[in-house]
Amino acid sequence: VKPSTTYHIEPQTGAGLALNRGQFLRIIDPEGEQVADLMAFNRLDTTERLSSGRSLDYNGTIFLTKGHALYTNRSSPMFTIVEDTAGRHGFLFEPCSREMFRLQYEYDGVHPNCLDNLTKSLAPFDIQEHMITTPFNVFLNVEIRPDGTLAIHPPLTGPGDHITLRAEMDLAVGVTACAAGLCNNYRCTAINVEVFDK
Amino acid sequence: VKPSTTYHIEPQTGAGLALNRGQFLRIIDPEGEQVADLMAFNRLDTTERLSSGRSLDYNGTIFLTKGHALYTNRSSPMFTIVEDTAGRHGFLFEPCSREMFRLQYEYDGVHPNCLDNLTKSLAPFDIQEHMITTPFNVFLNVEIRPDGTLAIHPPLTGPGDHITLRAEMDLAVGVTACAAGLCNNYRCTAINVEVFDK
């Protein structure tokens, strides 16, 4: 496996990239305990987007890992997870946003956030903020207790843990290094991304 | 409490309605064991929509009931649940669709489905199919097992059980009587809706 393009995503920022059908996307946590949000659109028709709802339904589980497909709102496979050394990801939450930091942390002003970073990263593909829905919360360690309540714990990742997805259509992709302390054990670090053909 | 407008939603169909801030929406299961999908948009700016991701995050639970708010993608409260005689609803799945029936049931042709019904119901508000995301799956009885796998069971509702939501903004609303056998104990029945001022 020879990486053809690599991206280094600085802490609390994002990157946008085009991915062709059949190419692989590897998302790497270089230091450990860092979450990445992954949002994607059919590059040829951006009204077709990643769908948490269909992916959870068709896989019959909240926790996606190797062998599972991620589906679009039109029920087409968008990605297949072909490798996963982390083993735990979330797919429930919209990206952290300015308003989230205001509501949940009473943070005044503009805190760095995944929604702004995805919006900026996807703008070259004519994707606007409101088109972004629940991304795949890569490496997010969410617990669902028997009564349905939710808790976020530090990611299970150590340095170098990664997940690899095969693109099942031509995609516009946004990836972030998550900006919310709570999700990343209160230390926001970088994310590396590799795109390769096989 | 005096109903001002009532809607009878025939089995496997939907209805669209305008709801003003401060008005109440009551969704009633007249026969029992029937699911309804509820999707809504800010009527003055339809790029603001119901958000499962933000609602689960801000309430800290998968299972919303009386006292919880449903949020938009911009983190504004859209509805507050003020009454709930059912006690169990889902908020994980996109509406059942033609493609879902093809994928999961190998159904050829056009099975009645909530996505088509929501799309038709919301069209008068200039809302298109691709703008519809995960609706509030009213009365859906979804189980999340400790390992994260999901199972759908018959709704807990008996005849007359209902949920009442107060609108926190001016809304365009779509409601369906769900068309998928599995969700409704294999008997698709009607849903009644009441809109009232107080």
Side-chain angles (χ1 to χ4, degrees):
Chain A
V1 174
K2 199 177 65 164
S4 57
T5 316
T6 64
Y7 301 80
H8 178 73
I9 304 176
E10 295 289 342
Q12 302 189 313
T13 70
L17 55 97
L19 196 66
N20 295 327
R21 183 178 174 174
Q23 283 191 309
F24 294 87
L25 175 76
R26 179 171 291 151
I27 300 173
I28 305 157
D29 180 359
E31 298 189 39
E33 298 193 329
Q34 175 61 43
V35 167
D37 266 350
L38 166 66
M39 185 69 208
F41 296 83
N42 177 340
R43 204 164 73 237
L44 307 178
D45 175 0
T46 57
T47 64
E48 185 166 18
R49 58 163 171 81
L50 180 63
S51 167
S52 164
R54 302 225 177 271
S55 300
L56 302 184
D57 189 7
Y58 299 157
N59 290 293
T61 179
I62 293 278
F63 296 125
L64 303 191
T65 185
K66 183 176 175 176
H68 288 131
L70 279 60
Y71 290 85
T72 71
N73 54 321
R74 303 222 172 102
S75 299
S76 298
M78 176 173 254
F79 289 109
T80 303
I81 303 175
V82 297
E83 190 184 32
D84 182 13
T85 74
R88 175 52 52 95
H89 314 277
F91 209 170
L92 296 177
F93 299 135
E94 293 223 28
C96 62
S97 66
R98 297 178 197 203
E99 293 78 12
M100 188 215 76
F101 283 103
R102 204 167 295 148
L103 261 175
Q104 298 202 302
Y105 301 96
E106 297 178 356
Y107 188 96
D108 278 332
V110 180
H111 191 286
N113 65 86
C114 287
L115 182 58
D116 280 351
N117 290 332
L118 286 173
T119 301
K120 198 195 289 186
S121 302
L122 290 163
F125 299 100
D126 279 332
I127 290 157
Q128 296 170 278
E129 181 183 298
H130 67 88
M131 298 161 67
I132 295 169
T133 58
T134 298
F136 189 43
N137 311 131
V138 177
F139 309 136
L140 183 71
N141 184 8
V142 59
E143 177 193 3
I144 304 174
R145 302 195 191 94
D147 66 354
T149 57
L150 298 162
I152 291 175
H153 300 295
L156 300 178
T157 43
D161 271 324
H162 56 274
I163 186 172
T164 309
L165 306 102
R166 185 179 61 230
E168 304 297 352
M169 54 177 65
D170 291 345
L171 296 172
V173 172
V175 183
T176 64
C178 173
L182 175 67
C183 300
N184 309 296
N185 206 11
Y186 299 100
R187 183 169 161 268
C188 291
T189 55
I191 285 287
N192 290 334
V193 170
E194 295 174 359
V195 173
F196 55 93
D197 286 333
K198 68 175 60 172
Chain B
V1 175
K2 201 176 65 166
S4 56
T5 316
T6 64
Y7 301 81
H8 179 74
I9 305 176
E10 294 289 342
Q12 303 188 312
T13 70
L17 55 98
L19 196 66
N20 295 327
R21 183 178 175 174
Q23 283 192 308
F24 295 86
L25 175 75
R26 179 170 291 152
I27 301 173
I28 305 157
D29 181 359
E31 300 190 39
E33 298 194 327
Q34 176 61 42
V35 167
D37 266 349
L38 167 65
M39 185 69 207
F41 296 82
N42 177 340
R43 203 165 75 236
L44 308 178
D45 175 359
T46 56
T47 63
E48 184 165 19
R49 56 162 173 81
L50 181 63
S51 167
S52 164
R54 302 223 177 271
S55 300
L56 302 184
D57 189 7
Y58 299 157
N59 291 293
T61 178
I62 292 279
F63 296 125
L64 303 191
T65 184
K66 184 176 173 177
H68 288 131
L70 279 61
Y71 291 85
T72 71
N73 55 320
R74 303 222 171 102
S75 300
S76 298
M78 176 173 254
F79 290 109
T80 303
I81 303 175
V82 297
E83 190 184 33
D84 182 12
T85 74
R88 176 52 51 95
H89 314 277
F91 209 169
L92 296 177
F93 299 135
E94 293 223 27
C96 63
S97 66
R98 298 179 197 201
E99 292 79 11
M100 189 216 74
F101 283 103
R102 203 166 297 147
L103 261 175
Q104 298 202 303
Y105 301 96
E106 297 178 355
Y107 188 95
D108 277 333
V110 179
H111 191 287
N113 66 84
C114 288
L115 182 59
D116 280 352
N117 290 331
L118 286 173
T119 301
K120 198 194 288 186
S121 301
L122 290 164
F125 300 99
D126 277 333
I127 290 156
Q128 297 170 279
E129 181 184 297
H130 67 88
M131 297 163 65
I132 295 169
T133 58
T134 299
F136 189 43
N137 311 131
V138 177
F139 308 137
L140 182 71
N141 185 7
V142 58
E143 176 194 3
I144 304 176
R145 302 195 191 95
D147 66 353
T149 57
L150 298 161
I152 291 175
H153 301 295
L156 300 179
T157 43
D161 272 323
H162 56 274
I163 185 171
T164 309
L165 307 102
R166 186 178 61 232
E168 304 297 351
M169 54 176 68
D170 291 345
L171 295 172
V173 173
V175 182
T176 65
C178 174
L182 174 67
C183 301
N184 310 296
N185 207 9
Y186 300 99
R187 183 168 161 269
C188 291
T189 55
I191 285 287
N192 289 335
V193 170
E194 295 174 358
V195 173
F196 55 93
D197 287 332
K198 67 177 60 174

